[in-house]
Amino acid sequence: MKSNDIILGILLKNPATGYEVKEKFSTSFSNFYNASFGSIYPILHKLTQENKVAFKTVVQEDKPNKKIYSITKKGKIAFQQYLRQPVEGEKIKWDFMVRLFYSKYLTWPERLGLIDSEITTRKSEIQSLTILRERLRTQHIDQYQLFCLNL
């Protein structure tokens, strides 16, 4: 799975600006995939060069012009090919686990602080995802998207 596959999927539903694509990464995909503006815009540029995405420029008064990207027929074919490929193995990068693995080199209070901090972070993430789930229900997400969010 690559960010460009996800971006094609995002554009499959609706045309979007780069900012709106980033918003999807920050909400719908936040619990299992992340991408920054620094990676999204180069990917959109590359997908445009590959004729998988097209854009139209919208002139705005008192604001910079914005590009609205949409998926092309070639992009739809590429996305369908991605969906039909074998699923990649799960790869987890979890800084907390690396630090916990080596926590014997910390003092007992530092270890407890590390664990308490992770618990606080996870509780905050659960709260954010609960709020997001309620917000997305009003946007009529499908059962598979809701399942991913709940998972």
Side-chain angles (χ1 to χ4, degrees):
M1 170 178 55
K2 298 177 193 157
S3 297
N4 47 328
D5 297 320
I6 296 172
I7 290 172
L8 288 173
I10 290 169
L11 296 176
L12 192 61
K13 187 170 182 181
N14 291 311
T17 63
Y19 178 82
E20 292 166 333
V21 169
K22 171 61 176 144
E23 189 68 20
K24 281 289 189 187
F25 278 102
S26 299
T27 55
S28 300
F29 300 108
S30 64
N31 59 335
F32 54 90
Y33 201 91
N34 190 20
S36 66
F37 284 118
S39 64
I40 291 170
Y41 285 105
I43 291 168
L44 286 168
H45 180 73
K46 179 181 177 211
L47 290 171
T48 301
Q49 288 181 323
E50 294 172 348
N51 295 317
K52 294 177 182 173
V53 165
F55 68 87
K56 67 177 182 177
T57 303
V58 176
V59 178
Q60 302 186 101
E61 201 171 303
D62 298 327
K63 294 181 186 176
N65 296 343
K66 70 178 175 180
K67 292 180 181 178
I68 300 177
Y69 296 89
S70 58
I71 191 167
T72 64
K73 184 174 181 174
K74 186 175 179 180
K76 290 176 183 177
I77 291 168
F79 185 71
Q80 287 294 321
Q81 289 171 341
Y82 157 72
L83 288 177
R84 289 178 171 84
Q85 292 173 358
V87 175
E88 294 177 10
E90 183 180 358
K91 295 175 184 151
I92 299 174
K93 296 178 184 177
W94 192 1
D95 187 44
F96 166 75
M97 292 301 287
V98 174
R99 291 170 191 247
L100 186 62
F101 185 86
Y102 290 109
S103 67
K104 75 177 184 178
Y105 300 108
L106 297 173
T107 65
W108 182 249
E110 288 172 323
R111 273 182 246 154
L112 288 177
L114 178 68
I115 293 166
D116 286 343
S117 176
E118 186 66 12
I119 290 170
T120 300
T121 298
R122 295 295 160 198
K123 284 180 178 178
S124 176
E125 288 175 352
I126 290 169
Q127 184 179 20
S128 295
L129 288 171
T130 301
I131 292 167
L132 176 62
R133 180 179 57 214
E134 293 309 312
R135 192 177 91 201
L136 290 177
R137 281 182 195 224
T138 64
Q139 296 179 11
H140 309 292
I141 62 173
D142 67 40
Q143 63 189 8
Y144 304 106
Q145 294 167 340
L146 183 59
F147 176 80
C148 290
L149 183 60
N150 287 329
L151 183 64

